[in-house]
Structure formats: structure tokens, C-alpha cells
Amino acid sequence: MGNRLTHILILADLEGSSGCWRYRASSFLTDEWCRACLEMSRDVSAVVSALFKAGVKTITIKDFHRTGYNLFPEMIDSRATLISGYRRGPVPGIGNPNNAQAVMFLGMHAASGSDGFLAHTLTSRIARLEVNHRFLAEIELFAGSLAPWGIRPVFFSGCPVACKQAEVVIENINCFPIDKSRGPENFDARIWRSALAQEAVKSLANHKAKPYEPVGPFNARVTMRDGEAEAARLARRWKFEQAGSQIRICSASIHQLYLELIRLCYLTPTIEKVLPLALVAFNLKGRIGIIRARRRLKRLLQR
Ligand SMILES: [Zn+2]
């Protein structure tokens, strides 16, 4: 086939990776997080190696969990480009996706309000997020932000609920679940990881999945976990409509919706004004975090 995929973008999260078994493991600077970073690095590394072996020429990895610094670059084939931390744009968080043809989502989780493993959308402070009367998972925002670049979502891995949500909205995407219902002691990470890598390679033959750009308008109902006072505070900050613990946002496009949700979850108007500077500080925190994780892990593994 002449249209073989040669440039792949990988978006990697931690909750649906093989080393995260409870909330603590997703929390910055805990011992469990350090171990989860190690397993997440192994997962991503397995996929990257398999893709290169299958003939992919260029791989860009974007770490998309919390600080954006959860992967140990020394564990991943150095031919791949790892983007840690966050870029302002043109694609929110990612920066310039260059000429990636397809995107693969690893370690993902289900939407806020649904019953998936550590389900949340953008932040766990959102208890429930419904857009046009159904749960909105992150894949819709991420895949949507890449659609103008013609980047096709071909592969997704996360808990079974997350996979189902991805399949419903993105036609023909290949999914590979991670089942955490039986606990880490009954889970063989090596076997699962090699299957993950094989399935990712198979998705290189996915010529059906199209760039995901749903048509608006989008009516979002955001229920805040901390209740009415928190919702009122955030609504005032951004001039959103609010009723009880719910914030209402109406956006014309998926891109506008994504930007409004980023504002709601991560920014203040002041920080938005100095965003380039704020990102430097934020990314520095992440960089220091992964250095500390590396040191801590050495100690933990010696015990
Ligand atoms: Zn995450």
C-alpha cells in the first residue's frame, strides 16, 4: 500500500497504563507514582520499539499526565522524540504536531461521571461532564484538536469503559483494553504490554478511522466535585453560566469547547495573560519532579 503510516504521534497518559492501580499512583511525587512512571515508560517503550520495527520512520510522544513529565526518556528508543511538559499551541498542550499522520492514545481513562477506572475529564475536580447529553471523554478533545492537521485517531488503550467511550465517538478506531478489576497481583504486565504493542502495530493498517471533528454547537454541563461555592467561584472568574454545582458552557466548535474547559480547569485570567511564562514555571516543576522520581526509584528498587 502506498499510504503506509510513517509518522505517528503517541499521546500517553498514566491512569490507564500498567503501573497505576489506584489514585495515589497518579499523584505527583508519591512513591507509587514513581513506580507507575517506570511501568508507563515500559508500556510506551514497548509500543515505540514495535512501531519502529514495523517500519514507522518518525514517532513523536507527548506525555499528557499532570505535569507532562512522567516518562523516563532513557528507557525509550532515542529515535523517538519525547515532548514532556506543555506547549501553548497551536495544538493546546502539544504544540506543533508537525507532519504526524495518525495518533495513538495510550494509558487513557474514561470520562468524568462514568464508572471507568479513575474516570475523569481533564481534572478530578469535575465530578461529571456532559456535552450534548452524553459524557465527554478526553479523547474527543485531543483527537478534535488534531483534526485540522488531518491527523487520524487509529488506536486507543485504556480501561474497558474508556475503550467503549472511544469506540462510540470515533468510528473505526482500534481499541485495546487494560482490565484492572482483578488487581495488580493477578495481572501480568509483560504479557499485556507485548499484546498492547502488537495491537498498536496492527492499527498501522487502519485506513478507515478519519480525523475527528464533530459539528457543534456543544452544550456542556460541568458538575464540580466541590459543589456550589466552587462552581460559583469558577463561573464568576470566567463569566460562565452557573446553576447550583453546575457550570454551563456553550461553544460553537470542539476547539472552542476545549479552550473553555482548559480555562475552567487549569487557568485564571491573570495566568492566561502571562501563559508563556506560567508554562515555563509549570514545566520546570515537572522537570524537577521526574528527576526526583528517578532518584527515588533507585532507592525504592534497592530495598
Ligand atoms: Zn492522567
Side-chain angles (χ1 to χ4, degrees):
M1 294 271 281
N3 53 351
R4 264 190 81 89
L5 293 170
T6 57
H7 186 169
I8 299 293
L9 172 66
I10 293 174
L11 295 192
D13 203 349
L14 182 125
E15 284 83 352
S17 68
S18 67
C20 177
W21 291 85
R22 53 188 189 137
Y23 182 75
R24 245 189 106 66
S26 73
S27 304
F28 191 51
L29 294 181
T30 62
D31 284 357
E32 283 175 61
W33 171 70
C34 299
R35 293 180 193 276
C37 288
L38 175 66
E39 299 303 315
M40 178 183 171
S41 299
R42 286 177 174 150
D43 296 347
V44 171
S45 169
V47 171
V48 166
S49 299
L51 291 176
F52 275 133
K53 212 168 151 197
V56 173
K57 297 282 177 264
T58 311
I59 299 176
T60 306
I61 307 154
K62 174 70 193 78
D63 182 336
F64 242 165
H65 178 72
R66 298 256 179 134
T67 58
Y69 282 87
N70 307 271
L71 292 169
F72 297 112
E74 64 271 27
M75 293 178 62
I76 299 165
D77 191 316
S78 61
R79 287 173 293 171
T81 304
L82 173 62
I83 306 174
S84 300
Y86 294 94
R87 311 278 177 278
R88 186 183 192 181
V91 180
I94 297 173
N96 191 332
N98 294 318
N99 301 310
Q101 297 157 309
V103 53
M104 299 186 179
F105 298 88
L106 306 181
M108 300 291 287
H109 48 80
S112 280
S114 66
D115 60 357
F117 179 77
L118 296 180
H120 68 280
T121 306
L122 300 180
T123 168
S124 48
R125 287 177 295 129
I126 294 178
R128 191 181 170 91
L129 173 55
E130 278 182 276
V131 175
N132 296 349
H133 306 291
R134 57 174 178 75
F135 292 132
L136 181 92
E138 286 176 5
I139 184 170
E140 294 192 61
L141 300 169
F142 301 164
S145 73
L146 294 164
W149 305 75
I151 299 172
R152 303 189 297 114
V154 294
F155 184 74
F156 180 96
S157 180
C159 73
V161 175
C163 286
K164 211 158 279 167
Q165 289 171 0
E167 278 166 357
V168 166
V169 291
I170 303 198
E171 241 177 286
N172 297 311
I173 193 166
N174 292 108
C175 290
F176 183 70
I178 183 163
D179 182 3
K180 296 190 175 173
S181 61
R182 292 171 64 239
E185 56 287 349
N186 295 306
F187 182 81
D188 190 324
R190 281 183 53 197
I191 290 177
W192 176 82
R193 191 175 288 138
S194 83
L196 169 76
Q198 281 168 31
E199 292 302 312
V201 166
K202 276 189 207 159
S203 77
L204 292 172
N206 181 343
H207 300 294
K208 282 188 176 166
K210 296 197 171 66
Y212 178 70
E213 203 162 19
V215 179
F218 299 92
N219 283 298
R221 299 263 181 281
V222 191
T223 308
M224 302 310 298
R225 194 171 298 283
D226 289 339
E228 186 166 352
E230 171 73 351
R233 194 175 67 82
L234 291 168
R236 218 177 306 123
R237 176 186 281 172
W238 292 107
K239 300 189 170 64
F240 290 139
E241 202 186 310
Q242 171 238 341
S245 60
Q246 206 174 72
I247 290 170
R248 295 178 178 173
I249 301 171
C250 186
S251 307
S253 70
I254 189 94
H255 312 294
Q256 188 60 32
L257 176 67
Y258 192 11
L259 288 177
E260 301 286 21
L261 290 173
I262 288 172
R263 284 191 176 125
L264 180 72
C265 297
Y266 306 125
L267 305 178
T268 68
T270 312
I271 289 178
E272 190 174 48
K273 270 186 209 127
V274 295
L275 193 56
L277 208 62
L279 280 174
V280 169
F282 185 82
N283 290 338
L284 183 64
K285 180 185 161 191
R287 201 170 300 173
I288 292 167
I290 195 70
I291 291 169
R292 290 179 63 183
R294 187 182 285 112
R295 278 197 214 129
R296 181 105 55 97
L297 204 54
K298 268 189 193 134
R299 253 184 291 129
L300 290 170
L301 295 176
Q302 274 165 8
R303 275 187 204 159

